[in-house]
Amino acid sequence: MKYVELGKTGMNVSVISFGGIPIQRNDMENTKLVVDVLEAKGVNYIDTAKAYSVSEAYLGNALKGRRDKFFLASKSMARDYEGMKKDIDDTLEKMQTEYVDLYQCHNVPVGDFEKIFAENGAYKALLEAKEAGKIRHIGFTCHHVEDMQHVIENYADKFETVMYPFNIVEDQGTEQLRKFKELGYGTIAMKPFAGGNLDDPDLALRYIAEADVIDIALAGMADPKEAEQDAGVAEHLVPLNEEELAKCDAIRKELGTQFCRRCGYCMPCTMGILIPNAFLFRNYVLRYNMLEWASQRYKSVCTVPASQCVECGVCETRCPYHLPIREMMKDTARIFGY
Ligand code: SF4
Ligand code: SF4
């Protein structure tokens, strides 16, 4: 495993690290097996969030007796003092630890920074927790270039790390990430596989490892096999060759920018449509021409079909990627016939 300093935090962390979203699809026992693989492969940074339901608790259980082998990061969507205070204490309890190494303001759009830095905002609770030794560093995560730019211009001295989507098809934040590097921030790439749209982990992770604006990539590892595979990439971090660079170009052309990352922020749908699932199956048809298989899955999983969309638009106000969900729903209904 290769390790880098995460900005000025003093943390020496693995370039391929662990993202805790998929642990929600796991159970306690299997999570332990995943953490066994992380330990064996030298992955020493684990990121999770309050928003990832059971993830903190499962990881906390899996880390019993080996907490000191890992740097732990979590995050909260709370914007006010009381909410953040409560969330930090809850994280410590769930993760069965006396401190977390990095606590982040989770998914912050431009308009929310004012709330975080208000007199009774979340930042006050973060500072208090840091003072009390409950957290060691403070960071933020976001999904838009303008969110990062806002921090650069207004709050650059308030955080120590930034987490942002970065992968073969999403390098739109390069300029801001470079600025953050200059400012001494630790830069963390989320969505290295573009929300499941990139199916070659070796190519995807090596692409990020080469990017000079990124310190570490967080790969979501749902089970021990995936953990072996993703962490294993670090054993041969060689530069991409001509053929592999051409493959990256072909993927960019094929996916464009209008694709669902399956983050789930758009949910719940007014009509009960499972939006990320519907788009996942649509994607199988568009990318791999797997109409028969995708139709069966669509029928069994999406019990409220895309045709039920009433075009209320609520989901679009929540999608951090500004996807035209209503149009994509119509297209999904057209593909599957209902
Ligand atoms: S626009 Fe359609 S998919 Fe989006 S919340 Fe409304 S009904 Fe659901
Ligand atoms: S539609 Fe947008 S918010 Fe919903 S899962 Fe896809 S990317 Fe995320």
PDB file of all heavy atoms in Angstrom, residues 269-271 275 309-313 315 326 329, ligand 1:
ATOM      1  N   CYS A 269     -39.377   9.719  -3.390  1.00  0.00           N
ATOM      2  CA  CYS A 269     -40.190  10.218  -4.505  1.00  0.00           C
ATOM      3  C   CYS A 269     -41.635  10.366  -4.030  1.00  0.00           C
ATOM      4  O   CYS A 269     -42.133   9.534  -3.267  1.00  0.00           O
ATOM      5  CB  CYS A 269     -40.100   9.204  -5.651  1.00  0.00           C
ATOM      6  SG  CYS A 269     -41.455   9.294  -6.825  1.00  0.00           S
ATOM      7  N   THR A 270     -42.284  11.402  -4.491  1.00  0.00           N
ATOM      8  CA  THR A 270     -43.681  11.673  -4.137  1.00  0.00           C
ATOM      9  C   THR A 270     -44.569  10.456  -4.399  1.00  0.00           C
ATOM     10  O   THR A 270     -45.503  10.181  -3.655  1.00  0.00           O
ATOM     11  CB  THR A 270     -44.198  12.849  -5.008  1.00  0.00           C
ATOM     12  OG1 THR A 270     -43.242  13.891  -4.932  1.00  0.00           O
ATOM     13  CG2 THR A 270     -45.552  13.324  -4.570  1.00  0.00           C
ATOM     14  N   MET A 271     -44.259   9.714  -5.461  1.00  0.00           N
ATOM     15  CA  MET A 271     -45.109   8.585  -5.846  1.00  0.00           C
ATOM     16  C   MET A 271     -44.540   7.238  -5.388  1.00  0.00           C
ATOM     17  O   MET A 271     -45.107   6.193  -5.669  1.00  0.00           O
ATOM     18  CB  MET A 271     -45.266   8.557  -7.377  1.00  0.00           C
ATOM     19  CG  MET A 271     -45.934   9.777  -7.952  1.00  0.00           C
ATOM     20  SD  MET A 271     -47.591  10.001  -7.266  1.00  0.00           S
ATOM     21  CE  MET A 271     -48.460   8.626  -8.027  1.00  0.00           C
ATOM     22  N   ILE A 275     -36.110   5.868  -7.449  1.00  0.00           N
ATOM     23  CA  ILE A 275     -35.454   6.595  -8.545  1.00  0.00           C
ATOM     24  C   ILE A 275     -34.076   6.013  -8.908  1.00  0.00           C
ATOM     25  O   ILE A 275     -33.824   5.690 -10.080  1.00  0.00           O
ATOM     26  CB  ILE A 275     -35.362   8.108  -8.220  1.00  0.00           C
ATOM     27  CG1 ILE A 275     -36.763   8.678  -7.997  1.00  0.00           C
ATOM     28  CG2 ILE A 275     -34.639   8.874  -9.323  1.00  0.00           C
ATOM     29  CD1 ILE A 275     -36.791  10.103  -7.433  1.00  0.00           C
ATOM     30  N   CYS A 309     -44.630   8.576 -12.582  1.00  0.00           N
ATOM     31  CA  CYS A 309     -44.077   9.901 -12.253  1.00  0.00           C
ATOM     32  C   CYS A 309     -45.091  10.985 -12.623  1.00  0.00           C
ATOM     33  O   CYS A 309     -45.582  11.028 -13.754  1.00  0.00           O
ATOM     34  CB  CYS A 309     -42.770  10.115 -13.008  1.00  0.00           C
ATOM     35  SG  CYS A 309     -42.123  11.790 -12.856  1.00  0.00           S
ATOM     36  N   VAL A 310     -45.410  11.857 -11.660  1.00  0.00           N
ATOM     37  CA  VAL A 310     -46.385  12.931 -11.918  1.00  0.00           C
ATOM     38  C   VAL A 310     -45.680  14.250 -12.227  1.00  0.00           C
ATOM     39  O   VAL A 310     -46.306  15.308 -12.266  1.00  0.00           O
ATOM     40  CB  VAL A 310     -47.349  13.110 -10.717  1.00  0.00           C
ATOM     41  CG1 VAL A 310     -48.266  11.909 -10.581  1.00  0.00           C
ATOM     42  CG2 VAL A 310     -46.581  13.349  -9.420  1.00  0.00           C
ATOM     43  N   GLU A 311     -44.366  14.158 -12.398  1.00  0.00           N
ATOM     44  CA  GLU A 311     -43.549  15.325 -12.770  1.00  0.00           C
ATOM     45  C   GLU A 311     -43.648  16.469 -11.756  1.00  0.00           C
ATOM     46  O   GLU A 311     -43.649  17.637 -12.124  1.00  0.00           O
ATOM     47  CB  GLU A 311     -43.913  15.803 -14.180  1.00  0.00           C
ATOM     48  CG  GLU A 311     -43.629  14.741 -15.236  1.00  0.00           C
ATOM     49  CD  GLU A 311     -43.809  15.268 -16.642  1.00  0.00           C
ATOM     50  OE1 GLU A 311     -43.315  16.375 -16.916  1.00  0.00           O
ATOM     51  OE2 GLU A 311     -44.438  14.567 -17.453  1.00  0.00           O
ATOM     52  N   CYS A 312     -43.708  16.110 -10.473  1.00  0.00           N
ATOM     53  CA  CYS A 312     -43.787  17.159  -9.446  1.00  0.00           C
ATOM     54  C   CYS A 312     -42.464  17.934  -9.350  1.00  0.00           C
ATOM     55  O   CYS A 312     -42.437  19.081  -8.924  1.00  0.00           O
ATOM     56  CB  CYS A 312     -44.136  16.548  -8.090  1.00  0.00           C
ATOM     57  SG  CYS A 312     -42.830  15.483  -7.429  1.00  0.00           S
ATOM     58  N   GLY A 313     -41.372  17.272  -9.704  1.00  0.00           N
ATOM     59  CA  GLY A 313     -40.070  17.957  -9.725  1.00  0.00           C
ATOM     60  C   GLY A 313     -39.362  18.048  -8.383  1.00  0.00           C
ATOM     61  O   GLY A 313     -38.247  18.574  -8.305  1.00  0.00           O
ATOM     62  N   CYS A 315     -37.874  15.833  -6.634  1.00  0.00           N
ATOM     63  CA  CYS A 315     -36.605  15.099  -6.667  1.00  0.00           C
ATOM     64  C   CYS A 315     -35.496  15.945  -7.303  1.00  0.00           C
ATOM     65  O   CYS A 315     -34.336  15.896  -6.867  1.00  0.00           O
ATOM     66  CB  CYS A 315     -36.773  13.799  -7.444  1.00  0.00           C
ATOM     67  SG  CYS A 315     -37.505  14.056  -9.067  1.00  0.00           S
ATOM     68  N   ARG A 326     -37.100  14.172 -14.324  1.00  0.00           N
ATOM     69  CA  ARG A 326     -38.413  13.966 -14.963  1.00  0.00           C
ATOM     70  C   ARG A 326     -38.256  13.449 -16.386  1.00  0.00           C
ATOM     71  O   ARG A 326     -38.942  12.517 -16.801  1.00  0.00           O
ATOM     72  CB  ARG A 326     -39.220  15.264 -14.937  1.00  0.00           C
ATOM     73  CG  ARG A 326     -39.746  15.575 -13.534  1.00  0.00           C
ATOM     74  CD  ARG A 326     -40.380  16.932 -13.443  1.00  0.00           C
ATOM     75  NE  ARG A 326     -39.390  17.997 -13.458  1.00  0.00           N
ATOM     76  CZ  ARG A 326     -39.661  19.274 -13.214  1.00  0.00           C
ATOM     77  NH1 ARG A 326     -40.897  19.636 -12.955  1.00  0.00           N
ATOM     78  NH2 ARG A 326     -38.713  20.174 -13.237  1.00  0.00           N
ATOM     79  N   MET A 329     -37.062   9.925 -16.263  1.00  0.00           N
ATOM     80  CA  MET A 329     -38.158   9.016 -15.890  1.00  0.00           C
ATOM     81  C   MET A 329     -38.992   8.657 -17.128  1.00  0.00           C
ATOM     82  O   MET A 329     -39.362   7.502 -17.331  1.00  0.00           O
ATOM     83  CB  MET A 329     -39.082   9.683 -14.869  1.00  0.00           C
ATOM     84  CG  MET A 329     -38.744   9.412 -13.435  1.00  0.00           C
ATOM     85  SD  MET A 329     -38.567   7.683 -13.060  1.00  0.00           S
ATOM     86  CE  MET A 329     -37.478   7.851 -11.667  1.00  0.00           C
TER      87      MET A 329
HETATM   88  S1  SF4 B   1     -40.834  14.228 -10.429  1.00  0.00           S
HETATM   89 FE1  SF4 B   1     -41.475  12.108 -10.626  1.00  0.00          FE
HETATM   90  S2  SF4 B   1     -39.743  10.928  -9.882  1.00  0.00           S
HETATM   91 FE2  SF4 B   1     -39.477  13.017  -9.118  1.00  0.00          FE
HETATM   92  S3  SF4 B   1     -40.427  13.002  -7.045  1.00  0.00           S
HETATM   93 FE3  SF4 B   1     -41.969  13.708  -8.534  1.00  0.00          FE
HETATM   94  S4  SF4 B   1     -43.069  11.833  -9.055  1.00  0.00           S
HETATM   95 FE4  SF4 B   1     -41.120  11.189  -8.149  1.00  0.00          FE
END
